[in-house]
Amino acid sequence: MTDPADADAGGGAGAGAPRGLDLDRLAAYLAARRPELAAAPLRARLIAGGKSNLTYLLRSGGHEVVLRRPPLGHVLATAHDMAREHRIISALAPTAVPVPEALLFCPDTDVIGAPFYLMEKVDGEVFRSRSQTDPLTDGQRRDLATAMMDTLAALHAVEPAAVGLADFGRPEGFLGRQVRRWAGQLDQSRSRPLPGVDELRDALAGSVPEGANAGRIVHGDYRLDNLLATVGTGATAPRPAAPGATAPGQGAPGAATGTDPAGAATGTLGATGAGVSVRAVLDWEMATLGDPLADLGLLLTYWSVLGDSDAAVDNPVADGLGPRAGFPSGAELIDRYAGRSDVDVGPLHWHVALGCFKLAVICEGIHYRHTLGQTLGGGFDRIGELVAPLVEHGLRAVREK
C-alpha cells in the first residue's frame, strides 16, 4: 500500500507532491547529477517533527535519502542556510561526531523554489515526546542524557582547522553578535506585543561576557530531539574521557565510532548499560565558530526551563525532555559535560538567558509563519504560547549574580 503522503515524480508539483517540493523538476535535476537517485517513480513524504527547516524522505528505486530545505515563506536573512548545513556535516564526517553522509547540495532556487541538500538516511529514533520517552527505563533515560552530553563534548573537542572549518565563523565578538543577530530576527518577526522581550534584549546587550572559550564549533540548536539515537538492551562500557582535539579517523572523548548500514558515523557515547547509541546529530543550520557555552545555555533552556516548569506540560517543543520526563537534572548534565571536556563551564546564567531570548525569537518566528499559513505539519498552534515564559525566565537568569 502506498503511503498517502508519497507522490510520484510524474505528478509534478500539483498532483499530490508534498508542499515545498516540485518532484518533476527534482527528478530532472537528480537525473543529470545523481542518476542513481532519480529512478522512477520518485516519491517523497514530509518527515514530521521539525518546526523550522523542512525535511523529506525521498524514495527512488531502491534508495532512500533525506532532503532538507528552508521553510515556506518568511525566511529570515542568515537563517535556514542549507549551504552551511551541507558544509559542516561534510567536514565532520571523518570525526567522532556522528553525522549523516552529505550527498549533494543544490544552490539553484529554480529546482524546488529554495536551496536544498541531500543526505543519507540514518536509522534511529528522534526522542521528542513523552509517548516515546515514558516507556524507557530510568537507566535508559540516564544513558540517553549521558550520551547526549558526551556527543556535545566530542563536538566541542574538534579542532576547526583540522576539518577545514577555520573560516566557518568569526569567534571574536561572537556573543555580542548573537545578541544583535537575534534582536534583528525578532524585529522581522514581530506581529503582536511581547512584554519584557526588549528589556531582556537590552539586559543581554549590556552584560556580554568575555567569551574565553570562543573558537570552538558550535551547533547552535543542540538538544535531545536533534539527535538520532537507538536504545537497545545490550551493555556497553563507557570509554575514558580524553579532552582535546580529534583528528580525522581518531576517537573522541567517550566515543567508539563505526559505520552504520547507511554509511553514517555512529557511536556508543556514554552508554553504560542500556545499549544507547547516538547515530547522528541533525539540524546544523545555525552552526558556526563561537563560544561552546552558547550550546550549553540553550540546551539548559530546553532542558530546565521548558523541560522542568509549567511551560513543559504538553508543549510541542520540550514535552519529552528534562526532569519532568524522568531525565537527570540540568546540573547533572553540566557535570557530565565538564568531566568530558576541557571547556571552562563557569557561570552559565548569562548563557541560559541568551538561550531563552534566542528560543523566544525562534518560537515567535514560527508563530508568525503559522499565522500566515506557512507551516507544514502539526503542533504549531501552541508555539506562540512559549514566548512569554521564555522571556520571563530569561529576565530572571540575566539578573543573577
PDB file of all heavy atoms in Angstrom, residues 51-53 71-76 80 189 191 362-375 380:
ATOM      1  N   LYS A  51      10.307  22.050  13.329  1.00  0.00           N
ATOM      2  CA  LYS A  51       9.469  23.246  13.361  1.00  0.00           C
ATOM      3  C   LYS A  51      10.094  24.401  12.589  1.00  0.00           C
ATOM      4  O   LYS A  51       9.610  25.511  12.633  1.00  0.00           O
ATOM      5  CB  LYS A  51       9.240  23.683  14.820  1.00  0.00           C
ATOM      6  CG  LYS A  51       8.512  22.649  15.677  1.00  0.00           C
ATOM      7  CD  LYS A  51       7.084  22.453  15.221  1.00  0.00           C
ATOM      8  CE  LYS A  51       6.307  21.512  16.127  1.00  0.00           C
ATOM      9  NZ  LYS A  51       6.641  20.109  15.926  1.00  0.00           N
ATOM     10  N   SER A  52      11.170  24.141  11.860  1.00  0.00           N
ATOM     11  CA  SER A  52      11.837  25.202  11.126  1.00  0.00           C
ATOM     12  C   SER A  52      12.092  24.740   9.704  1.00  0.00           C
ATOM     13  O   SER A  52      11.197  24.774   8.862  1.00  0.00           O
ATOM     14  CB  SER A  52      13.126  25.599  11.838  1.00  0.00           C
ATOM     15  OG  SER A  52      13.749  26.683  11.183  1.00  0.00           O
ATOM     16  N   ASN A  53      13.317  24.282   9.403  1.00  0.00           N
ATOM     17  CA  ASN A  53      13.570  23.737   8.073  1.00  0.00           C
ATOM     18  C   ASN A  53      12.708  22.507   7.830  1.00  0.00           C
ATOM     19  O   ASN A  53      12.322  21.813   8.764  1.00  0.00           O
ATOM     20  CB  ASN A  53      15.049  23.382   7.919  1.00  0.00           C
ATOM     21  CG  ASN A  53      15.919  24.617   7.777  1.00  0.00           C
ATOM     22  OD1 ASN A  53      15.452  25.666   7.351  1.00  0.00           O
ATOM     23  ND2 ASN A  53      17.186  24.499   8.141  1.00  0.00           N
ATOM     24  N   PRO A  71      12.088  26.642   5.317  1.00  0.00           N
ATOM     25  CA  PRO A  71      10.627  26.669   5.446  1.00  0.00           C
ATOM     26  C   PRO A  71       9.993  27.484   4.334  1.00  0.00           C
ATOM     27  O   PRO A  71      10.667  28.209   3.603  1.00  0.00           O
ATOM     28  CB  PRO A  71      10.408  27.326   6.812  1.00  0.00           C
ATOM     29  CG  PRO A  71      11.641  28.124   7.058  1.00  0.00           C
ATOM     30  CD  PRO A  71      12.752  27.361   6.408  1.00  0.00           C
ATOM     31  N   LEU A  72       8.686  27.348   4.209  1.00  0.00           N
ATOM     32  CA  LEU A  72       7.948  28.088   3.194  1.00  0.00           C
ATOM     33  C   LEU A  72       7.731  29.521   3.664  1.00  0.00           C
ATOM     34  O   LEU A  72       7.251  29.744   4.773  1.00  0.00           O
ATOM     35  CB  LEU A  72       6.577  27.439   2.945  1.00  0.00           C
ATOM     36  CG  LEU A  72       6.570  25.944   2.598  1.00  0.00           C
ATOM     37  CD1 LEU A  72       5.143  25.483   2.381  1.00  0.00           C
ATOM     38  CD2 LEU A  72       7.422  25.676   1.377  1.00  0.00           C
ATOM     39  N   GLY A  73       8.072  30.490   2.829  1.00  0.00           N
ATOM     40  CA  GLY A  73       7.767  31.878   3.132  1.00  0.00           C
ATOM     41  C   GLY A  73       8.507  32.424   4.345  1.00  0.00           C
ATOM     42  O   GLY A  73       9.102  31.702   5.128  1.00  0.00           O
ATOM     43  N   HIS A  74       8.517  33.728   4.518  1.00  0.00           N
ATOM     44  CA  HIS A  74       9.055  34.446   5.671  1.00  0.00           C
ATOM     45  C   HIS A  74      10.378  33.841   6.142  1.00  0.00           C
ATOM     46  O   HIS A  74      10.561  33.490   7.306  1.00  0.00           O
ATOM     47  CB  HIS A  74       8.054  34.470   6.826  1.00  0.00           C
ATOM     48  CG  HIS A  74       8.471  35.392   7.953  1.00  0.00           C
ATOM     49  ND1 HIS A  74       8.685  36.742   7.769  1.00  0.00           N
ATOM     50  CD2 HIS A  74       8.741  35.140   9.265  1.00  0.00           C
ATOM     51  CE1 HIS A  74       9.052  37.284   8.919  1.00  0.00           C
ATOM     52  NE2 HIS A  74       9.094  36.342   9.836  1.00  0.00           N
ATOM     53  N   VAL A  75      11.320  33.684   5.232  1.00  0.00           N
ATOM     54  CA  VAL A  75      12.636  33.160   5.576  1.00  0.00           C
ATOM     55  C   VAL A  75      13.547  34.325   5.918  1.00  0.00           C
ATOM     56  O   VAL A  75      13.828  35.183   5.083  1.00  0.00           O
ATOM     57  CB  VAL A  75      13.227  32.342   4.410  1.00  0.00           C
ATOM     58  CG1 VAL A  75      14.627  31.883   4.751  1.00  0.00           C
ATOM     59  CG2 VAL A  75      12.332  31.137   4.118  1.00  0.00           C
ATOM     60  N   LEU A  76      14.007  34.366   7.162  1.00  0.00           N
ATOM     61  CA  LEU A  76      14.814  35.485   7.624  1.00  0.00           C
ATOM     62  C   LEU A  76      16.221  35.425   7.049  1.00  0.00           C
ATOM     63  O   LEU A  76      16.789  34.354   6.844  1.00  0.00           O
ATOM     64  CB  LEU A  76      14.885  35.472   9.150  1.00  0.00           C
ATOM     65  CG  LEU A  76      13.533  35.614   9.873  1.00  0.00           C
ATOM     66  CD1 LEU A  76      13.733  35.429  11.360  1.00  0.00           C
ATOM     67  CD2 LEU A  76      12.890  36.939   9.566  1.00  0.00           C
ATOM     68  N   HIS A  80      18.306  29.484   8.176  1.00  0.00           N
ATOM     69  CA  HIS A  80      17.934  28.378   7.285  1.00  0.00           C
ATOM     70  C   HIS A  80      18.939  28.208   6.145  1.00  0.00           C
ATOM     71  O   HIS A  80      18.565  28.022   4.987  1.00  0.00           O
ATOM     72  CB  HIS A  80      16.520  28.607   6.727  1.00  0.00           C
ATOM     73  CG  HIS A  80      15.543  29.103   7.745  1.00  0.00           C
ATOM     74  ND1 HIS A  80      15.126  28.333   8.806  1.00  0.00           N
ATOM     75  CD2 HIS A  80      14.919  30.306   7.892  1.00  0.00           C
ATOM     76  CE1 HIS A  80      14.279  29.031   9.551  1.00  0.00           C
ATOM     77  NE2 HIS A  80      14.148  30.221   9.030  1.00  0.00           N
ATOM     78  N   SER A 189      10.104  39.511  12.958  1.00  0.00           N
ATOM     79  CA  SER A 189       9.035  38.554  13.237  1.00  0.00           C
ATOM     80  C   SER A 189       7.958  39.117  14.153  1.00  0.00           C
ATOM     81  O   SER A 189       7.051  38.383  14.557  1.00  0.00           O
ATOM     82  CB  SER A 189       9.624  37.284  13.886  1.00  0.00           C
ATOM     83  OG  SER A 189      10.542  36.664  13.025  1.00  0.00           O
ATOM     84  N   SER A 191       4.700  40.480  15.396  1.00  0.00           N
ATOM     85  CA  SER A 191       3.332  40.594  14.886  1.00  0.00           C
ATOM     86  C   SER A 191       2.338  40.855  16.007  1.00  0.00           C
ATOM     87  O   SER A 191       1.145  40.931  15.771  1.00  0.00           O
ATOM     88  CB  SER A 191       2.937  39.304  14.155  1.00  0.00           C
ATOM     89  OG  SER A 191       2.979  38.190  15.032  1.00  0.00           O
ATOM     90  N   ILE A 362      12.931  32.401  18.070  1.00  0.00           N
ATOM     91  CA  ILE A 362      12.632  31.307  17.143  1.00  0.00           C
ATOM     92  C   ILE A 362      11.152  30.948  17.218  1.00  0.00           C
ATOM     93  O   ILE A 362      10.474  30.796  16.184  1.00  0.00           O
ATOM     94  CB  ILE A 362      13.509  30.081  17.459  1.00  0.00           C
ATOM     95  CG1 ILE A 362      14.980  30.373  17.131  1.00  0.00           C
ATOM     96  CG2 ILE A 362      13.035  28.859  16.682  1.00  0.00           C
ATOM     97  CD1 ILE A 362      15.937  29.293  17.599  1.00  0.00           C
ATOM     98  N   CYS A 363      10.632  30.803  18.428  1.00  0.00           N
ATOM     99  CA  CYS A 363       9.214  30.462  18.593  1.00  0.00           C
ATOM    100  C   CYS A 363       8.315  31.546  18.025  1.00  0.00           C
ATOM    101  O   CYS A 363       7.280  31.252  17.417  1.00  0.00           O
ATOM    102  CB  CYS A 363       8.898  30.231  20.069  1.00  0.00           C
ATOM    103  SG  CYS A 363       9.584  28.697  20.740  1.00  0.00           S
ATOM    104  N   GLU A 364       8.701  32.808  18.210  1.00  0.00           N
ATOM    105  CA  GLU A 364       7.889  33.895  17.673  1.00  0.00           C
ATOM    106  C   GLU A 364       7.900  33.881  16.152  1.00  0.00           C
ATOM    107  O   GLU A 364       6.875  34.138  15.514  1.00  0.00           O
ATOM    108  CB  GLU A 364       8.376  35.238  18.201  1.00  0.00           C
ATOM    109  CG  GLU A 364       7.463  36.414  17.865  1.00  0.00           C
ATOM    110  CD  GLU A 364       6.064  36.287  18.445  1.00  0.00           C
ATOM    111  OE1 GLU A 364       5.868  35.520  19.419  1.00  0.00           O
ATOM    112  OE2 GLU A 364       5.158  36.951  17.917  1.00  0.00           O
ATOM    113  N   GLY A 365       9.059  33.564  15.556  1.00  0.00           N
ATOM    114  CA  GLY A 365       9.120  33.469  14.104  1.00  0.00           C
ATOM    115  C   GLY A 365       8.257  32.346  13.577  1.00  0.00           C
ATOM    116  O   GLY A 365       7.568  32.487  12.550  1.00  0.00           O
ATOM    117  N   ILE A 366       8.276  31.197  14.261  1.00  0.00           N
ATOM    118  CA  ILE A 366       7.436  30.070  13.850  1.00  0.00           C
ATOM    119  C   ILE A 366       5.962  30.425  14.027  1.00  0.00           C
ATOM    120  O   ILE A 366       5.127  30.113  13.170  1.00  0.00           O
ATOM    121  CB  ILE A 366       7.804  28.815  14.663  1.00  0.00           C
ATOM    122  CG1 ILE A 366       9.233  28.368  14.318  1.00  0.00           C
ATOM    123  CG2 ILE A 366       6.820  27.693  14.399  1.00  0.00           C
ATOM    124  CD1 ILE A 366       9.761  27.287  15.233  1.00  0.00           C
ATOM    125  N   HIS A 367       5.643  31.085  15.142  1.00  0.00           N
ATOM    126  CA  HIS A 367       4.263  31.534  15.373  1.00  0.00           C
ATOM    127  C   HIS A 367       3.799  32.460  14.244  1.00  0.00           C
ATOM    128  O   HIS A 367       2.676  32.320  13.738  1.00  0.00           O
ATOM    129  CB  HIS A 367       4.174  32.253  16.720  1.00  0.00           C
ATOM    130  CG  HIS A 367       2.907  33.018  16.919  1.00  0.00           C
ATOM    131  ND1 HIS A 367       1.709  32.414  17.235  1.00  0.00           N
ATOM    132  CD2 HIS A 367       2.650  34.361  16.818  1.00  0.00           C
ATOM    133  CE1 HIS A 367       0.766  33.338  17.324  1.00  0.00           C
ATOM    134  NE2 HIS A 367       1.306  34.520  17.086  1.00  0.00           N
ATOM    135  N   TYR A 368       4.677  33.372  13.843  1.00  0.00           N
ATOM    136  CA  TYR A 368       4.328  34.304  12.772  1.00  0.00           C
ATOM    137  C   TYR A 368       4.081  33.555  11.463  1.00  0.00           C
ATOM    138  O   TYR A 368       3.093  33.809  10.767  1.00  0.00           O
ATOM    139  CB  TYR A 368       5.445  35.330  12.611  1.00  0.00           C
ATOM    140  CG  TYR A 368       5.181  36.403  11.579  1.00  0.00           C
ATOM    141  CD1 TYR A 368       3.928  36.981  11.444  1.00  0.00           C
ATOM    142  CD2 TYR A 368       6.202  36.853  10.745  1.00  0.00           C
ATOM    143  CE1 TYR A 368       3.691  37.971  10.504  1.00  0.00           C
ATOM    144  CE2 TYR A 368       5.982  37.837   9.804  1.00  0.00           C
ATOM    145  CZ  TYR A 368       4.718  38.391   9.687  1.00  0.00           C
ATOM    146  OH  TYR A 368       4.485  39.366   8.752  1.00  0.00           O
ATOM    147  N   ARG A 369       4.964  32.589  11.125  1.00  0.00           N
ATOM    148  CA  ARG A 369       4.747  31.809   9.914  1.00  0.00           C
ATOM    149  C   ARG A 369       3.448  31.021   9.994  1.00  0.00           C
ATOM    150  O   ARG A 369       2.732  30.864   8.994  1.00  0.00           O
ATOM    151  CB  ARG A 369       5.917  30.852   9.667  1.00  0.00           C
ATOM    152  CG  ARG A 369       7.185  31.535   9.194  1.00  0.00           C
ATOM    153  CD  ARG A 369       8.126  30.569   8.495  1.00  0.00           C
ATOM    154  NE  ARG A 369       8.520  29.440   9.311  1.00  0.00           N
ATOM    155  CZ  ARG A 369       9.525  29.464  10.169  1.00  0.00           C
ATOM    156  NH1 ARG A 369      10.241  30.570  10.348  1.00  0.00           N
ATOM    157  NH2 ARG A 369       9.831  28.391  10.866  1.00  0.00           N
ATOM    158  N   HIS A 370       3.122  30.535  11.195  1.00  0.00           N
ATOM    159  CA  HIS A 370       1.875  29.780  11.360  1.00  0.00           C
ATOM    160  C   HIS A 370       0.656  30.667  11.098  1.00  0.00           C
ATOM    161  O   HIS A 370      -0.309  30.236  10.458  1.00  0.00           O
ATOM    162  CB  HIS A 370       1.800  29.190  12.769  1.00  0.00           C
ATOM    163  CG  HIS A 370       0.546  28.418  13.035  1.00  0.00           C
ATOM    164  ND1 HIS A 370       0.250  27.221  12.417  1.00  0.00           N
ATOM    165  CD2 HIS A 370      -0.510  28.693  13.852  1.00  0.00           C
ATOM    166  CE1 HIS A 370      -0.918  26.780  12.837  1.00  0.00           C
ATOM    167  NE2 HIS A 370      -1.400  27.646  13.707  1.00  0.00           N
ATOM    168  N   THR A 371       0.708  31.907  11.589  1.00  0.00           N
ATOM    169  CA  THR A 371      -0.419  32.812  11.349  1.00  0.00           C
ATOM    170  C   THR A 371      -0.584  33.136   9.869  1.00  0.00           C
ATOM    171  O   THR A 371      -1.685  33.488   9.427  1.00  0.00           O
ATOM    172  CB  THR A 371      -0.260  34.124  12.137  1.00  0.00           C
ATOM    173  OG1 THR A 371       0.894  34.841  11.659  1.00  0.00           O
ATOM    174  CG2 THR A 371      -0.129  33.860  13.632  1.00  0.00           C
ATOM    175  N   LEU A 372       0.495  33.017   9.108  1.00  0.00           N
ATOM    176  CA  LEU A 372       0.444  33.272   7.672  1.00  0.00           C
ATOM    177  C   LEU A 372       0.119  32.012   6.866  1.00  0.00           C
ATOM    178  O   LEU A 372       0.070  32.057   5.637  1.00  0.00           O
ATOM    179  CB  LEU A 372       1.784  33.843   7.181  1.00  0.00           C
ATOM    180  CG  LEU A 372       2.223  35.175   7.792  1.00  0.00           C
ATOM    181  CD1 LEU A 372       3.611  35.558   7.285  1.00  0.00           C
ATOM    182  CD2 LEU A 372       1.212  36.274   7.477  1.00  0.00           C
ATOM    183  N   GLY A 373      -0.073  30.878   7.565  1.00  0.00           N
ATOM    184  CA  GLY A 373      -0.364  29.633   6.881  1.00  0.00           C
ATOM    185  C   GLY A 373       0.832  29.032   6.172  1.00  0.00           C
ATOM    186  O   GLY A 373       0.670  28.298   5.188  1.00  0.00           O
ATOM    187  N   GLN A 374       2.036  29.295   6.683  1.00  0.00           N
ATOM    188  CA  GLN A 374       3.251  28.863   6.005  1.00  0.00           C
ATOM    189  C   GLN A 374       3.990  27.762   6.761  1.00  0.00           C
ATOM    190  O   GLN A 374       5.179  27.552   6.550  1.00  0.00           O
ATOM    191  CB  GLN A 374       4.183  30.060   5.805  1.00  0.00           C
ATOM    192  CG  GLN A 374       3.615  31.114   4.878  1.00  0.00           C
ATOM    193  CD  GLN A 374       4.454  32.375   4.833  1.00  0.00           C
ATOM    194  OE1 GLN A 374       5.295  32.601   5.701  1.00  0.00           O
ATOM    195  NE2 GLN A 374       4.228  33.207   3.829  1.00  0.00           N
ATOM    196  N   THR A 375       3.294  27.037   7.648  1.00  0.00           N
ATOM    197  CA  THR A 375       3.917  25.913   8.350  1.00  0.00           C
ATOM    198  C   THR A 375       3.282  24.619   7.862  1.00  0.00           C
ATOM    199  O   THR A 375       2.106  24.578   7.494  1.00  0.00           O
ATOM    200  CB  THR A 375       3.719  26.041   9.871  1.00  0.00           C
ATOM    201  OG1 THR A 375       2.328  26.258  10.165  1.00  0.00           O
ATOM    202  CG2 THR A 375       4.525  27.199  10.417  1.00  0.00           C
ATOM    203  N   PHE A 380       1.973  23.483  15.657  1.00  0.00           N
ATOM    204  CA  PHE A 380       2.410  24.868  15.530  1.00  0.00           C
ATOM    205  C   PHE A 380       1.478  25.850  16.244  1.00  0.00           C
ATOM    206  O   PHE A 380       1.876  26.968  16.533  1.00  0.00           O
ATOM    207  CB  PHE A 380       2.509  25.260  14.049  1.00  0.00           C
ATOM    208  CG  PHE A 380       3.593  24.539  13.315  1.00  0.00           C
ATOM    209  CD1 PHE A 380       3.314  23.427  12.558  1.00  0.00           C
ATOM    210  CD2 PHE A 380       4.909  24.973  13.386  1.00  0.00           C
ATOM    211  CE1 PHE A 380       4.318  22.749  11.878  1.00  0.00           C
ATOM    212  CE2 PHE A 380       5.924  24.312  12.721  1.00  0.00           C
ATOM    213  CZ  PHE A 380       5.622  23.194  11.964  1.00  0.00           C
TER     214      PHE A 380
END
